[in-house]
Amino acid sequence: MNLHIFNPEHDIALACNKKRFTAPHAAQELRMNFGWIPALWASDGDMVLVDDVAFAIKAASRFKNKKAEVLYVTDAEIRNVRFDTVIPWGWDQSIKTRLLDAGTDNEIIPEDNIMEHLRQLSNRKQTINALKYLRAGLESVTCGEACSVDSVSQVKDMVSSGANIVVKAPWSSSGRGVRYVENNISPSVHGFLKNTIREQGNVMVEPYYNKVRDFGMEFESMADGSVVYRGLSIFQTRNGAYSGNLIANENDKMELLSRYIKPQLIDEIRERACRYFMELLKGYYQGPFGVDMMIVAKDDNESGFLLHPCVEINLRRTMGHVALDITPDIPVTHKLMHIDHEVNYILRVSPLETPFVKVL
């Protein structure tokens, strides 16, 4: 029997790297409202750890035809039940401490040295080597560069050379640890750089690209060390934060991307990613992960598009995985999975009023 946990504060916990920390209010609210969501990928008979059982049952009822028959439990209750495996949204020191405080057997939780290695594998520095591998020999049809710097002066030098750049914290939640820099470093960006380098040791610097479409590939690292491709994720963001996923079959998602780049290139990147991450993760991580990518317009004096094959590596389950979990085997119409916030956060799947190529 598995115990599943939705801990959306995971990325923030990696940055904080403390056994105990107080998640921002929005993350706490999301965990409360969406605690039930592992029922969408769990198996019948599994357990899901939630803050409020009654709330979880009611919230999950909207997806009664999609979810497994699971048992919802609280921290106080898991002392009295037996489970063989813990499957959180993502592993970090905070969720480990929460489980130990609740009486979970130490033997089914990763040891501290594994936890630290997983944290380092989640560092945005990992994109540097991934890009080199994924782009090798494909430089004319792909783009993507990244470097790590450990001083504000280095970033200033890059900006003074005329480059438009994106700076990122090594660990951060969606949209929060990213700054766009053009022409000069503002006081607020300077403060961000100084604080991030002091707290996390470095910042990542990347060229600014003219993005035309976000997408990703979803994978799973298996117990035998192999990596299995799960599907495409066509998603949209708003102010850098996730806002929705296309629900459609794989052929239609591929057709959408093929309007910009050749399907053969997507297939090649997929195969390379499986090989690369098999070697990187074997023996350390078992579970779902995703690689964010994007389609980029070429420079003004050139027509056409390039594939950026590794914008971000998410060593955890992603909303792209969730979209795949709820996609029917044979989707009749295209839909949009998105998150609304009214009184609470709500996961919705809405029909698209216009063709998906215009919506996402």
Side-chain angles (χ1 to χ4, degrees), residues 104-116:
T104 302
D105 189 344
N106 220 335
E107 293 184 358
I108 62 174
I109 299 177
E111 296 179 358
D112 283 345
N113 63 325
I114 298 295
M115 294 291 290
E116 178 56 25

Side-chain angles (χ1 to χ4, degrees), residues 152 188-201 203:
V152 177
S188 64
V189 171
H190 186 278
F192 166 79
L193 293 171
K194 184 178 178 180
N195 292 335
T196 302
I197 291 171
R198 183 184 69 247
E199 295 169 2
Q200 299 190 27
V203 292

Side-chain angles (χ1 to χ4, degrees), residues 37-103:
I37 204 171
L40 295 175
W41 58 84
S43 299
D44 289 344
D46 283 352
M47 293 184 293
V48 176
L49 184 63
V50 297
D51 292 345
D52 185 310
V53 171
F55 184 95
I57 293 173
K58 182 177 179 180
S61 64
R62 298 179 59 251
F63 286 82
K64 61 183 178 180
N65 295 325
K66 297 289 185 183
K67 68 180 184 68
E69 293 299 321
V70 300
L71 174 66
Y72 298 106
V73 295
T74 63
D75 290 57
E77 294 169 327
I78 62 174
R79 290 181 180 272
N80 304 314
V81 293
R82 181 174 179 81
F83 46 91
D84 305 308
T85 308
V86 180
I87 306 176
W89 183 259
W91 276 113
D92 54 68
Q93 285 290 350
S94 176
I95 194 63
K96 176 177 178 176
T97 300
R98 179 184 175 189
L99 287 162
L100 291 175
D101 287 349

Side-chain angles (χ1 to χ4, degrees), residues 64 68 78 121 144 168 181 248 337:
K64 61 183 178 180
I78 62 174
L121 288 174
K168 301 178 179 179
V181 184
M337 184 189 80

